[in-house]
Amino acid sequence: MPPDTIGRFYDSLAETYHLIRPGWEEAIARQGEALDALAGAVLGSGPLDILDCTCGIGTQALGLAGRGHRVTGMDLSRDSVRRARREAADRAVRLVVLVGDMTALPVRPSSFDVVVSGDNAIAHLLTDHDLVAALTEMRRVLRPDGVLVLTLHTYEEPALSRHHVTDPHATTTPGGPAVSFQSWRWHPDAEHYDFENIQVLPDGDGWRMAVERTTLRALSRVQLVDAACRAGFVAAAWHEPAETGFFQPVFTARPAPAS
Ligand SMILES: C[S@@+](CC[C@H](N)C(=O)[O-])C[C@H]1O[C@@H](n2cnc3c(N)ncnc32)[C@H](O)[C@@H]1O
């Protein structure tokens, strides 16, 4: 999927992304705490230099910056970047946010203790080639003793139906109630799916429907570990939600020592 298509998908969602799941404010605090604990267990309490290379509107980046780390956020979507900057300013949290592509990071080598990509963002990389390119970039910008932290949706669930629709959930917004749900239409390869984010939003005295579409890859654990090895990572490990308190499994790996 061309980067400008993904950028447009998230540009359209930038102002309503927080409605996709219930409790965005609590999610910022909870996810920040969980990732802080994971990174701290490996590298000590910090403060650490952290790159969130798919920060979107800032769920993980704001939480980590709020815990005192020096966080740089980055994302393809210009409107998400603008919103992340605004959210940081509203909370008086120090957060630098750049526009960029995780397959060609606009940062110097060996600059960060931690590189984060949260909430299944790497599922936007549809091929092994793009996945290895992004992971190679993440390794390049990590310090030799750094840690990679990716969070992913679990796809190893009982067979998903060919057309799966998530349960809708309602949220209260200043303009009135809003309802969000997603539709997943699987491709014949059973590895990719067309993802639609559907929102019914208050609009004056009525409603408007917003539908955004993109394609995602249902990456397996084996595929991710293999790609991380090819990109020069070692010590690949999975951390389950019951252990971390993060709502998705978390994958960590360390840069291979220079030979
Ligand atoms: C599901 S959202 C998660 C955003 C954020 N981590 C959060 O949880 O709020 C995925 C994000 O990845 C970004 N993204 C997808 N492909 C990207 C790429 N190649 N480089 C940088 N960002 C990318 C999207 O623009 C989007 O903001």
mmCIF file of all heavy atoms in Angstrom, residues 20 45 53 63 66 78 80 104 108 130 134 140 145 149-150 186 201 203 221 223 226 247 259:
data_model
loop_
_atom_site.group_PDB
_atom_site.id
_atom_site.type_symbol
_atom_site.label_atom_id
_atom_site.label_comp_id
_atom_site.label_asym_id
_atom_site.label_seq_id
_atom_site.Cartn_x
_atom_site.Cartn_y
_atom_site.Cartn_z
ATOM 1 N N ILE A 20 -12.034 5.427 18.597
ATOM 2 C CA ILE A 20 -12.040 4.057 18.061
ATOM 3 C C ILE A 20 -12.226 3.036 19.175
ATOM 4 O O ILE A 20 -12.917 2.039 19.019
ATOM 5 C CB ILE A 20 -10.737 3.790 17.272
ATOM 6 C CG1 ILE A 20 -10.783 4.571 15.967
ATOM 7 C CG2 ILE A 20 -10.533 2.311 17.006
ATOM 8 C CD1 ILE A 20 -9.554 4.404 15.115
ATOM 9 N N SER A 45 15.627 2.779 34.962
ATOM 10 C CA SER A 45 14.462 3.671 34.955
ATOM 11 C C SER A 45 14.640 4.904 34.068
ATOM 12 O O SER A 45 13.684 5.608 33.785
ATOM 13 C CB SER A 45 14.114 4.085 36.381
ATOM 14 O OG SER A 45 15.247 4.704 36.940
ATOM 15 N N CYS A 53 8.038 5.480 16.413
ATOM 16 C CA CYS A 53 8.147 5.751 14.972
ATOM 17 C C CYS A 53 6.816 5.635 14.238
ATOM 18 O O CYS A 53 6.772 5.842 13.021
ATOM 19 C CB CYS A 53 9.225 4.877 14.346
ATOM 20 S SG CYS A 53 8.849 3.140 14.379
ATOM 21 N N GLY A 63 2.033 8.981 26.784
ATOM 22 C CA GLY A 63 2.149 8.264 28.054
ATOM 23 C C GLY A 63 3.601 8.154 28.505
ATOM 24 O O GLY A 63 3.914 8.355 29.683
ATOM 25 N N GLY A 66 4.939 11.580 29.438
ATOM 26 C CA GLY A 66 4.369 11.953 30.735
ATOM 27 C C GLY A 66 5.084 11.286 31.902
ATOM 28 O O GLY A 66 4.992 11.741 33.044
ATOM 29 N N ARG A 78 0.366 13.531 8.439
ATOM 30 C CA ARG A 78 0.636 14.910 8.878
ATOM 31 C C ARG A 78 -0.401 15.390 9.873
ATOM 32 O O ARG A 78 -0.080 16.075 10.855
ATOM 33 C CB ARG A 78 0.624 15.863 7.665
ATOM 34 C CG ARG A 78 1.811 15.682 6.785
ATOM 35 C CD ARG A 78 1.823 16.582 5.556
ATOM 36 N NE ARG A 78 2.979 16.212 4.778
ATOM 37 C CZ ARG A 78 4.208 16.643 5.022
ATOM 38 N NH1 ARG A 78 4.442 17.503 5.996
ATOM 39 N NH2 ARG A 78 5.237 16.224 4.300
ATOM 40 N N SER A 80 -2.185 13.568 11.932
ATOM 41 C CA SER A 80 -1.978 12.902 13.227
ATOM 42 C C SER A 80 -0.812 13.551 13.961
ATOM 43 O O SER A 80 -0.865 13.746 15.182
ATOM 44 C CB SER A 80 -1.715 11.408 13.025
ATOM 45 O OG SER A 80 -2.802 10.796 12.388
ATOM 46 N N ALA A 104 12.258 4.540 6.281
ATOM 47 C CA ALA A 104 13.391 5.436 5.992
ATOM 48 C C ALA A 104 13.399 6.513 7.075
ATOM 49 O O ALA A 104 12.990 7.646 6.841
ATOM 50 C CB ALA A 104 13.234 6.066 4.601
ATOM 51 N N ARG A 108 19.403 10.199 12.981
ATOM 52 C CA ARG A 108 20.789 9.722 12.915
ATOM 53 C C ARG A 108 20.930 8.327 13.538
ATOM 54 O O ARG A 108 20.159 7.969 14.432
ATOM 55 C CB ARG A 108 21.696 10.697 13.653
ATOM 56 C CG ARG A 108 22.021 11.916 12.796
ATOM 57 C CD ARG A 108 23.269 12.604 13.360
ATOM 58 N NE ARG A 108 22.925 13.383 14.546
ATOM 59 C CZ ARG A 108 22.547 14.658 14.499
ATOM 60 N NH1 ARG A 108 22.458 15.282 13.341
ATOM 61 N NH2 ARG A 108 22.254 15.303 15.604
ATOM 62 N N ASP A 130 9.192 -4.787 2.921
ATOM 63 C CA ASP A 130 8.959 -3.534 3.663
ATOM 64 C C ASP A 130 9.148 -3.732 5.161
ATOM 65 O O ASP A 130 9.645 -2.849 5.864
ATOM 66 C CB ASP A 130 7.546 -3.000 3.383
ATOM 67 C CG ASP A 130 7.439 -2.416 1.980
ATOM 68 O OD1 ASP A 130 8.478 -2.307 1.296
ATOM 69 O OD2 ASP A 130 6.310 -2.077 1.565
ATOM 70 N N ALA A 134 11.842 -1.693 7.422
ATOM 71 C CA ALA A 134 11.506 -0.881 8.604
ATOM 72 C C ALA A 134 12.307 -1.354 9.819
ATOM 73 O O ALA A 134 12.865 -0.540 10.566
ATOM 74 C CB ALA A 134 10.006 -0.969 8.879
ATOM 75 N N ARG A 140 19.090 0.478 13.034
ATOM 76 C CA ARG A 140 20.099 1.518 12.738
ATOM 77 C C ARG A 140 20.048 2.660 13.752
ATOM 78 O O ARG A 140 21.076 3.177 14.180
ATOM 79 C CB ARG A 140 19.871 2.060 11.312
ATOM 80 C CG ARG A 140 20.843 3.158 10.886
ATOM 81 C CD ARG A 140 20.540 3.694 9.492
ATOM 82 N NE ARG A 140 19.291 4.433 9.385
ATOM 83 C CZ ARG A 140 19.101 5.690 9.787
ATOM 84 N NH1 ARG A 140 20.099 6.367 10.311
ATOM 85 N NH2 ARG A 140 17.919 6.285 9.648
ATOM 86 N N ASP A 145 23.025 -0.994 22.950
ATOM 87 C CA ASP A 145 22.394 -1.693 24.091
ATOM 88 C C ASP A 145 20.899 -1.379 24.178
ATOM 89 O O ASP A 145 20.279 -1.563 25.229
ATOM 90 C CB ASP A 145 23.093 -1.300 25.398
ATOM 91 C CG ASP A 145 23.029 0.206 25.643
ATOM 92 O OD1 ASP A 145 22.632 0.943 24.698
ATOM 93 O OD2 ASP A 145 23.350 0.650 26.753
ATOM 94 N N VAL A 149 10.628 -2.274 20.775
ATOM 95 C CA VAL A 149 9.357 -2.617 21.440
ATOM 96 C C VAL A 149 8.214 -2.429 20.431
ATOM 97 O O VAL A 149 7.897 -1.294 20.045
ATOM 98 C CB VAL A 149 9.117 -1.698 22.666
ATOM 99 C CG1 VAL A 149 7.774 -2.002 23.308
ATOM 100 C CG2 VAL A 149 10.239 -1.843 23.691
ATOM 101 N N LEU A 150 7.635 -3.550 19.992
ATOM 102 C CA LEU A 150 6.525 -3.489 19.030
ATOM 103 C C LEU A 150 5.286 -4.081 19.694
ATOM 104 O O LEU A 150 5.400 -5.111 20.374
ATOM 105 C CB LEU A 150 6.843 -4.323 17.779
ATOM 106 C CG LEU A 150 8.183 -4.071 17.095
ATOM 107 C CD1 LEU A 150 8.371 -5.059 15.939
ATOM 108 C CD2 LEU A 150 8.256 -2.638 16.567
ATOM 109 N N TRP A 186 -11.281 -10.446 4.481
ATOM 110 C CA TRP A 186 -10.039 -11.186 4.227
ATOM 111 C C TRP A 186 -9.817 -11.415 2.743
ATOM 112 O O TRP A 186 -10.739 -11.698 2.002
ATOM 113 C CB TRP A 186 -10.058 -12.519 4.981
ATOM 114 C CG TRP A 186 -9.876 -12.269 6.445
ATOM 115 C CD1 TRP A 186 -10.846 -12.000 7.356
ATOM 116 C CD2 TRP A 186 -8.639 -12.176 7.141
ATOM 117 N NE1 TRP A 186 -10.294 -11.746 8.578
ATOM 118 C CE2 TRP A 186 -8.937 -11.851 8.478
ATOM 119 C CE3 TRP A 186 -7.296 -12.324 6.771
ATOM 120 C CZ2 TRP A 186 -7.950 -11.686 9.453
ATOM 121 C CZ3 TRP A 186 -6.311 -12.171 7.747
ATOM 122 C CH2 TRP A 186 -6.643 -11.856 9.067
ATOM 123 N N LEU A 201 -21.024 9.756 13.486
ATOM 124 C CA LEU A 201 -20.622 10.898 14.317
ATOM 125 C C LEU A 201 -21.755 11.918 14.395
ATOM 126 O O LEU A 201 -22.503 12.101 13.423
ATOM 127 C CB LEU A 201 -19.391 11.562 13.693
ATOM 128 C CG LEU A 201 -18.167 10.643 13.571
ATOM 129 C CD1 LEU A 201 -17.160 11.198 12.581
ATOM 130 C CD2 LEU A 201 -17.516 10.443 14.937
ATOM 131 N N ASP A 203 -23.637 15.321 14.032
ATOM 132 C CA ASP A 203 -23.462 16.382 13.034
ATOM 133 C C ASP A 203 -24.651 17.327 13.160
ATOM 134 O O ASP A 203 -25.711 17.073 12.586
ATOM 135 C CB ASP A 203 -23.405 15.743 11.640
ATOM 136 C CG ASP A 203 -23.028 16.764 10.576
ATOM 137 O OD1 ASP A 203 -22.590 17.868 10.927
ATOM 138 O OD2 ASP A 203 -23.183 16.434 9.385
ATOM 139 N N ARG A 221 3.620 -14.563 14.424
ATOM 140 C CA ARG A 221 4.789 -14.402 15.301
ATOM 141 C C ARG A 221 6.055 -14.935 14.626
ATOM 142 O O ARG A 221 7.121 -14.339 14.732
ATOM 143 C CB ARG A 221 4.541 -15.101 16.636
ATOM 144 C CG ARG A 221 3.459 -14.404 17.437
ATOM 145 C CD ARG A 221 3.325 -14.950 18.843
ATOM 146 N NE ARG A 221 2.325 -14.173 19.563
ATOM 147 C CZ ARG A 221 2.235 -14.080 20.871
ATOM 148 N NH1 ARG A 221 3.070 -14.744 21.638
ATOM 149 N NH2 ARG A 221 1.305 -13.341 21.438
ATOM 150 N N GLN A 223 6.683 -15.079 11.427
ATOM 151 C CA GLN A 223 7.111 -14.132 10.373
ATOM 152 C C GLN A 223 7.830 -12.927 10.983
ATOM 153 O O GLN A 223 8.830 -12.453 10.440
ATOM 154 C CB GLN A 223 5.894 -13.652 9.566
ATOM 155 C CG GLN A 223 5.347 -14.702 8.618
ATOM 156 C CD GLN A 223 3.981 -14.315 8.061
ATOM 157 O OE1 GLN A 223 3.162 -13.692 8.749
ATOM 158 N NE2 GLN A 223 3.729 -14.680 6.820
ATOM 159 N N ASP A 226 11.342 -13.955 12.308
ATOM 160 C CA ASP A 226 12.222 -14.178 11.163
ATOM 161 C C ASP A 226 12.691 -12.835 10.570
ATOM 162 O O ASP A 226 13.878 -12.636 10.312
ATOM 163 C CB ASP A 226 11.458 -15.009 10.114
ATOM 164 C CG ASP A 226 12.305 -15.271 8.899
ATOM 165 O OD1 ASP A 226 13.401 -15.834 9.076
ATOM 166 O OD2 ASP A 226 11.903 -14.880 7.775
ATOM 167 N N PHE A 247 -2.520 -3.882 26.438
ATOM 168 C CA PHE A 247 -3.705 -4.578 25.913
ATOM 169 C C PHE A 247 -3.407 -5.521 24.756
ATOM 170 O O PHE A 247 -4.277 -6.292 24.358
ATOM 171 C CB PHE A 247 -4.796 -3.561 25.511
ATOM 172 C CG PHE A 247 -4.542 -2.861 24.209
ATOM 173 C CD1 PHE A 247 -5.298 -3.162 23.084
ATOM 174 C CD2 PHE A 247 -3.560 -1.894 24.100
ATOM 175 C CE1 PHE A 247 -5.080 -2.514 21.874
ATOM 176 C CE2 PHE A 247 -3.326 -1.236 22.897
ATOM 177 C CZ PHE A 247 -4.095 -1.557 21.785
ATOM 178 N N SER A 259 29.971 -7.578 15.020
ATOM 179 C CA SER A 259 30.943 -8.685 15.008
ATOM 180 C C SER A 259 32.321 -8.150 14.604
ATOM 181 O O SER A 259 32.455 -7.074 14.107
ATOM 182 C CB SER A 259 30.475 -9.760 14.046
ATOM 183 O OG SER A 259 30.126 -9.162 12.829
#
